[in-house]
Amino acid sequence: MIYMEAWNILCMNPAMLRKLELFEEQVLCFAVKNGVMQEEILLQVVYLAGQKRNYSESLFRILKGCYQLIPHKEVLHEICTLLIKGNRSGEAYFPWYQEGVEENLRITRLYEYYMMSLPRNFDGELPKMVLLYFAYRSDLHYETTAYLYAYVHRRREQLADIYVNYMAAMERFVLEQIGRGRINRDLAYLYENILTLSMIDEQTARSLVSLLFMREVRTEAGNAKEVLLTYACRSDGKRFPMTDSRAYVPVYDNDCRVLLGDGAGNFFTVGMEYSLEPLMKPGRLAPMIAPFVRNHLGYAVYACYAKQHTFTVQEDNVDLFALLSLSERVEEEEKKKIRPMVVDFYYEKDRMRELDEYLDTLHPEDVNRHDRGKIVRFLVSRGMYEKACEWLRRFGPYDVDAKTLLKLGSRLLALTETEEEPLLAGMLLYVVQKGKYDDNVLEYLVKWFSGSIGQMYDIWKLSDAFGVDTYRLCERMLIQMLYTGVRVEDWLDIFRSYVKGGGSERVRAAFVSACCYDYVLKDEDTDFYVFESVRRLAQEDAPFHPVCRIAYLRYYADKERDAVVQKLCGVFLESLLAQGVVLPFYRKYFGCVPQLGAYLDKTMVEYRTTTGARVMIHYMIQEEGAGGEEYTHEEMRDMFGGICVREFILFFGEQLKYYITEETENGELLVVSDVICKGDAGEDIPEGRFSILNDIMIGKTLQDYDTVNDLLFAYFRQEHMVEQIFTVR
């Protein structure tokens, strides 16, 4: 009722509406709402609205309602003015600004707010007055300006006279936005179509390079807050925030992956659909910026991967491939593929300075195994010998061709003084095994190499055939064979070669002792040269093992002996007998030394076992045909190396029954049993007293009493002489 009364009063006298306070605005709202607004009051409202300094939402509703009832141009003017006072822009206010522009209203900053309120999906024509206005000045937001300039450029043929006035401003704007690193679809259009080669300098190129490859990510997933971008060839990933369900990400290669995240560190491969659209095609601008962005990793990825149909190093991208191979942000496996390609290109194009610099940055673990040989080959060809050696120390020579190794080895031999270098020795061995060598290589290996006996044997054969002095190698081989027990077929030839060169007394004695040991205890065939070596050692008064004496005596026991050999055998026998070493084959040397007389009448039983074994002989001596006696047992004496001997005295008609046992973990083990009769004991020796008694018994059995009498006379005469000559003190 109050609003009705107040309205009636205004209708009777519109001049009473002198201000627009709260009550007045409520009354006017009542009138607008009920559609009773009058033109006289409307004009008064328009007048008072013009006096307002600040924006009022209620006044905007009043004016809007008034315009809908009475569409006066003055009301539209005040509506646009009021909105500008309130800095109101956006799609909701665009119809008012649009109508104000169409009505050609003269309001300050109307065209700015018109442009600022354009809907995103606006596809209509911009008024020519607006285009002319902004041709001379513009302080719009960069996104709005980008839209305006893109609009003009797209219609440059229809708006040729206006476009000419825009060109300079567009170019300045484009360079400014590139410098600020800004991007959207309108800016992308401007960059792609306005930039020319003359506009691009180093600073512009560095700012543009990432913008050039930007793509727009859009999604309808409400919980998408960020984007994670990863590349197959790079080890790093980068995050980008999303605004209004969109984000701009630089994609340098199609072989990438985009994941959407919820902002809490969770990224999803499914459940968040998105679109990825490029903003520009880099084909035109990329060559323009190329000279200025050779150190930009993203551009390198584009130029080396996305730009090419094949993964090939070329003149225009070799430095970019080199950049990728040195970057910590590129996957190591990818870099291992690139590095040999770069090296090949530099070498093929004869760019030796770049090749040397690049090789100097490489390390053995920087390339795959099958490419290491190639890199070492280039290092050697470029004279980088120390670096080549560093590679070989890390991974060995096994992937390097023998020709390269021989060249490196020969160079190192020329630089290395006479000293041992394990790397060089190992490398030269590998070269020799591959069939590549010369006398310098063989001489170094002969002098310094120590390896398996098989390796040294191969070197010895080659060196011997090449006429290289192998003395030092022979010595190392002999010592190693003696220590390890591993021998080669021609080890005696190695010994001959060693002795020919002089030969250490200790090594010769050790070798001969080993051969004699095998001859005595293993019954191995032994060359005559070994026994000649024993003789020379003896003549030199060199110390050697007793087994050498045993072997020498055993070898000559059944052979004709000249005076020199016979004399040496006597010396050896005296030495062994003094040590208590008595062996059955000594019988072959009766008459050589007097000490053997004590063993003329002995029958010896020999048994061979391992050194240190406890061997027992169980025996009985009885006449033929007799029986009933018990076995006696004694421990057999180990004369040398497990050769056990027990001595017995047998007379004619007696027999020795025995069996031998050896103690084991499981008790005594029967190993040998036999019977020896006097006739089986060996040849008769007439000088011995027991031999004379034996012959007396044989003569008696044969009833040859004349012989028996002669033998009895000889026996008593010998006994009398012994008693007279030898006295017991």
Side-chain angles (χ1 to χ4, degrees):
M1 290 296 292
I2 295 175
Y3 293 156
M4 290 180 63
E5 289 295 330
W7 177 250
N8 289 331
I9 293 172
L10 290 177
C11 289
M12 290 185 291
N13 186 7
M16 293 187 69
L17 184 61
R18 298 186 181 91
K19 59 182 179 178
L20 292 176
E21 298 291 346
L22 179 61
F23 179 73
E24 287 81 356
E25 290 180 356
Q26 290 175 342
V27 173
L28 292 173
C29 285
F30 171 79
V32 170
K33 184 177 181 181
N34 289 279
V36 295
M37 179 61 68
Q38 297 180 9
E39 187 172 354
E40 294 82 357
I41 299 176
L42 175 61
L43 295 175
Q44 185 68 14
V45 171
V46 170
Y47 170 75
L48 293 173
Q51 305 301 314
K52 278 276 193 179
R53 293 187 176 182
N54 299 317
Y55 174 79
S56 171
E57 184 66 30
S58 59
L59 180 57
F60 171 65
R61 289 197 299 269
I62 292 169
L63 291 174
K64 184 169 63 172
C66 292
Y67 188 75
Q68 291 171 349
L69 293 174
I70 306 172
H72 274 290
K73 187 175 181 179
E74 291 81 358
V75 178
L76 179 60
H77 184 283
E78 290 305 323
I79 290 175
C80 291
T81 302
L82 181 64
L83 290 175
I84 292 172
K85 288 179 182 179
N87 194 28
R88 295 297 190 268
S89 62
E91 295 184 15
Y93 304 104
F94 176 72
W96 300 109
Y97 296 128
Q98 183 181 32
E99 196 165 346
V101 171
E102 291 173 354
E103 291 292 337
N104 200 23
L105 298 178
R106 300 300 183 200
I107 303 174
T108 303
R109 294 184 59 80
L110 174 62
Y111 295 155
E112 282 87 344
Y113 277 88
Y114 171 84
M115 292 301 301
M116 290 162 59
S117 301
L118 276 174
R120 285 187 177 180
N121 57 353
F122 181 77
D123 57 356
E125 297 290 330
L126 295 180
K128 190 171 184 178
M129 284 301 298
V130 174
L131 299 179
L132 289 171
Y133 175 80
F134 287 110
Y136 300 100
R137 59 180 297 273
S138 173
D139 57 357
L140 296 172
H141 188 267
Y142 80 90
E143 291 183 344
T144 305
T145 303
Y147 174 83
L148 174 63
Y149 288 167
Y151 176 90
V152 174
H153 190 274
R154 288 188 178 100
R155 292 163 176 78
R156 58 188 177 278
E157 294 182 359
Q158 300 95 310
L159 304 172
D161 54 337
I162 297 177
Y163 176 71
V164 172
N165 296 324
Y166 268 85
M167 288 180 60
M170 285 182 177
E171 291 179 356
R172 288 194 302 271
F173 175 76
V174 163
L175 293 176
E176 180 184 355
Q177 300 310 309
I178 290 175
R180 294 176 180 270
R182 291 170 175 168
I183 190 69
N184 60 25
R185 286 195 171 275
D186 294 322
L187 286 173
Y189 174 83
L190 294 174
Y191 298 159
E192 191 171 6
N193 291 278
I194 291 179
L195 280 172
T196 61
L197 184 61
S198 61
M199 296 172 63
I200 297 177
D201 56 16
E202 184 174 357
Q203 182 177 355
T204 302
R206 289 181 177 178
S207 301
L208 179 61
V209 64
S210 58
L211 301 176
L212 184 60
F213 302 98
M214 284 292 182
R215 297 191 185 186
E216 184 180 52
V217 180
R218 289 188 178 184
T219 182
E220 295 181 359
N223 61 334
K225 304 298 181 184
E226 59 180 334
V227 176
L228 176 64
L229 178 66
T230 61
Y231 290 95
C233 66
R234 290 173 58 171
S235 58
D236 60 334
K238 194 169 184 180
R239 298 183 180 187
F240 301 88
M242 297 198 76
T243 304
D244 297 331
S245 298
R246 73 177 66 190
Y248 296 105
V249 298
V251 177
Y252 303 101
D253 179 22
N254 290 327
D255 191 9
C256 66
R257 191 172 190 183
V258 173
L259 300 176
L260 301 187
D262 58 6
N266 303 311
F267 293 90
F268 302 88
T269 57
V270 294
M272 285 191 178
E273 301 298 327
Y274 65 89
S275 63
L276 183 66
E277 298 180 11
L279 298 179
M280 285 184 280
K281 295 180 180 179
R284 188 180 77 88
L285 295 178
M288 296 182 186
I289 66 174
F292 305 105
V293 293
R294 308 308 286 182
N295 293 325
H296 191 277
L297 187 62
Y299 181 80
V301 172
Y302 161 75
C304 298
Y305 290 86
K307 182 181 176 181
Q308 300 188 102
H309 297 293
T310 58
F311 189 65
T312 308
V313 178
Q314 300 171 352
E315 191 71 41
D316 62 343
N317 64 18
V318 61
D319 55 337
L320 299 176
F321 270 109
L323 174 65
L324 291 175
S325 71
L326 298 174
S327 174
E328 296 180 355
R329 296 161 61 189
V330 177
E331 286 286 351
E332 190 60 35
E333 287 304 313
E334 201 68 24
K335 292 192 287 187
K336 288 182 179 180
K337 298 177 186 176
I338 295 173
R339 289 164 182 141
M341 297 168 57
V342 174
V343 170
D344 283 337
F345 179 85
Y346 283 147
Y347 184 79
E348 291 169 2
K349 299 300 180 180
D350 200 28
R351 294 170 59 172
M352 296 305 162
R353 181 181 61 82
E354 292 95 333
L355 176 61
D356 291 348
E357 293 175 353
Y358 190 73
L359 287 173
D360 197 47
T361 66
L362 297 182
H363 299 90
E365 61 273 9
D366 291 341
V367 296
N368 292 313
R369 174 175 177 176
H370 60 271
D371 291 318
R372 288 176 190 147
K374 177 193 298 184
I375 303 301
V376 172
R377 175 163 54 86
F378 284 120
L379 290 171
V380 173
S381 68
R382 299 302 303 151
M384 304 172 74
Y385 302 117
E386 291 186 5
K387 194 168 185 68
C389 289
E390 176 189 336
W391 281 57
L392 295 178
R393 285 190 184 93
R394 295 289 298 279
F395 293 102
Y398 308 109
D399 299 306
V400 185
D401 64 276
K403 185 178 179 181
T404 298
L405 292 174
L406 181 59
K407 181 178 179 181
L408 175 61
S410 298
R411 182 59 181 168
L412 292 177
L413 286 176
L415 298 175
T416 304
E417 298 181 358
T418 55
E419 59 182 20
E420 183 178 5
E421 170 55 54
L423 171 66
L424 180 58
M427 180 181 67
L428 294 180
L429 172 66
Y430 183 76
V431 169
V432 170
Q433 291 173 337
K434 293 295 182 180
K436 300 287 184 181
Y437 54 87
D438 55 25
D439 54 346
N440 291 328
V441 171
L442 293 175
E443 285 176 1
Y444 184 86
L445 291 175
V446 164
K447 191 173 184 180
W448 298 111
F449 177 72
S450 292
S452 71
I453 193 63
Q455 292 171 332
M456 291 193 288
Y457 176 64
D458 292 338
I459 295 172
W460 175 77
K461 288 195 298 183
L462 293 173
S463 302
D464 190 60
F466 226 78
V468 175
D469 182 6
T470 61
Y471 174 80
R472 295 181 64 172
L473 178 62
C474 289
E475 183 173 78
R476 292 197 301 276
M477 291 175 67
L478 291 173
I479 293 173
Q480 186 162 317
M481 285 189 287
L482 292 171
Y483 270 105
T484 62
V486 178
R487 302 175 184 175
V488 295
E489 182 179 358
D490 299 331
W491 80 320
L492 191 59
D493 292 334
I494 296 171
F495 180 68
R496 284 194 178 98
S497 177
Y498 177 66
V499 173
K500 189 183 299 183
S504 163
E505 183 180 278
R506 292 183 62 187
V507 175
R508 288 161 51 210
F511 177 85
V512 168
S513 298
C515 293
C516 291
Y517 182 90
D518 293 341
Y519 175 70
V520 172
L521 297 180
K522 299 179 181 179
D523 288 329
E524 292 186 3
D525 292 336
T526 303
D527 193 271
F528 170 74
Y529 187 77
V530 173
F531 304 108
E532 279 296 291
S533 299
V534 173
R535 180 182 60 78
R536 284 193 290 270
L537 288 170
Q539 291 173 344
E540 295 170 9
D541 289 330
F544 50 83
H545 199 277
V547 72
C548 298
R549 299 182 178 91
I550 297 173
Y552 192 86
L553 291 170
R554 179 182 172 188
Y555 177 79
Y556 280 105
D558 294 317
K559 291 179 173 58
E560 292 185 6
R561 301 183 288 272
D562 58 25
V564 175
V565 173
Q566 184 73 0
K567 180 179 179 181
L568 185 59
C569 288
V571 173
F572 287 171
L573 282 170
E574 289 177 349
S575 175
L576 291 171
L577 290 173
Q579 298 175 41
V581 179
V582 181
L583 298 171
F585 66 80
Y586 287 5
R587 295 174 60 84
K588 304 290 185 178
Y589 289 97
F590 283 148
C592 184
V593 293
Q595 292 90 328
L596 283 179
Y599 303 97
L600 292 178
D601 309 302
K602 303 290 181 67
T603 298
M604 298 184 187
V605 175
E606 179 181 324
Y607 172 73
R608 295 194 177 196
T609 183
T610 58
T611 302
R614 192 163 186 265
V615 178
M616 304 295 293
I617 183 168
H618 306 258
Y619 67 92
M620 67 169 63
I621 300 175
Q622 58 183 194
E623 295 183 0
E624 258 184 275
E629 297 185 20
E630 294 184 358
Y631 280 91
T632 302
H633 65 277
E634 295 179 10
E635 183 175 353
M636 296 186 73
R637 180 183 171 194
D638 187 346
M639 294 295 178
F640 177 82
I643 302 176
C644 300
V645 176
R646 175 66 169 87
E647 307 153 12
F648 298 94
I649 297 176
L650 295 180
F651 294 100
F652 179 75
E654 290 182 336
Q655 63 180 6
L656 171 67
K657 291 183 178 181
Y658 70 92
Y659 64 91
I660 297 174
T661 60
E662 189 171 339
E663 290 189 2
T664 65
E665 294 179 355
N666 300 321
E668 285 192 339
L669 176 66
L670 177 63
V671 290
V672 173
S673 65
D674 200 359
V675 177
I676 298 177
C677 296
K678 177 56 182 174
D680 301 327
E683 57 183 282
D684 295 329
I685 306 300
E687 290 84 353
R689 293 174 60 207
F690 291 108
S691 179
I692 296 174
L693 290 176
N694 192 60
D695 289 342
I696 291 173
M697 295 176 66
I698 294 173
K700 181 180 179 183
T701 302
L702 297 175
Q703 297 182 354
D704 185 0
Y705 296 110
D706 292 335
T707 301
V708 170
N709 290 332
D710 293 338
L711 291 172
L712 285 171
F713 178 78
Y715 176 80
F716 287 117
R717 183 181 60 183
Q718 185 174 351
E719 184 179 32
H720 176 73
M721 291 173 62
V722 169
E723 290 177 354
Q724 294 299 318
I725 297 173
F726 301 102
T727 59
V728 180
R729 295 182 180 179

